[in-house]
Amino acid sequence: KILVGGDFTSYNGTGRNRIVRLNTDGTVDTGFLIGTGFNGAVYDIKLQSDGKILVAGSFTTYAGTSRPRIARINTDGSIDTGFTPGTGFDATVYGIALDSAGDIYATGDFANFAGTGRAKIARLNSDGTLDTGFDPGTGLNFFPYRVAVQADDKVIAVGYFTTYRGVSRNCIVRINTD
């Protein structure tokens, strides 16, 4: 199967709000039921080892359920109610990555997650709550577009920033797990 996200409202004439799952021949997987889908753009999708799907973007709802800029959906397209980000991110999330423990790193143009300051980078627990053990302090001065996790669980962020925690880091930074 192929997951596609973006800012579209249909695929090949079939209504699909910003996410669609395709069969290997390019046809719509009709078993992936998204309801009304996302109400804003999808910028990143990650498939977890259990088949659940993490999605990030500029949306605030999925299938009518509040999911401010990050959501997890089940393999059938339904919302995963065990993933509870609360009030979520206050602005767009452009990139997400998973570490070896299943924790989620998110990067974007946000300043807060669920009311807690997180300057353009945050780590969430696998249930969608904020992992307070990862504190970026003043964080990045401008938003990163992508994030990746290395085999040693150190994090790489890339984007248009020039500093991380006040230290010069021009467009790329590697961050320890704390």
Side-chain angles (χ1 to χ4, degrees), residues 5-75:
D7 201 14
F8 54 88
T9 57
S10 68
Y11 174 81
N12 204 21
T14 302
R16 289 291 185 265
N17 283 335
R18 298 170 184 93
I19 191 166
V20 64
R21 188 168 69 188
L22 306 175
N23 296 307
T24 56
D25 65 359
T27 59
V28 173
D29 177 0
T30 57
F32 189 66
L33 305 173
I34 65 166
T36 57
F38 291 102
N39 71 337
V42 168
Y43 291 115
D44 204 359
I45 299 173
K46 293 292 184 274
L47 188 62
Q48 293 184 175
S49 60
D50 61 1
K52 292 185 179 183
I53 304 157
L54 281 169
V55 184
S58 62
F59 55 85
T60 57
T61 65
Y62 176 74
T65 301
S66 177
R67 288 295 184 265
R69 298 165 191 94
I70 191 161
R72 187 167 65 199
I73 53 182
N74 296 309
T75 58

Side-chain angles (χ1 to χ4, degrees), residues 111-162:
N112 294 284
F113 178 82
T116 301
R118 287 296 181 263
K120 319 244 183 294
I121 188 164
R123 184 171 67 199
L124 307 182
N125 298 307
S126 62
D127 65 357
T129 59
L130 183 66
D131 182 343
T132 57
F134 179 82
D135 185 357
T138 58
L140 297 157
N141 67 325
F142 202 64
F143 60 90
Y145 276 112
R146 290 288 176 247
V147 61
V149 179
Q150 296 180 304
D152 62 0
D153 281 337
K154 290 185 180 182
V155 178
I156 302 284
V158 296
Y160 290 115
F161 54 87
T162 57

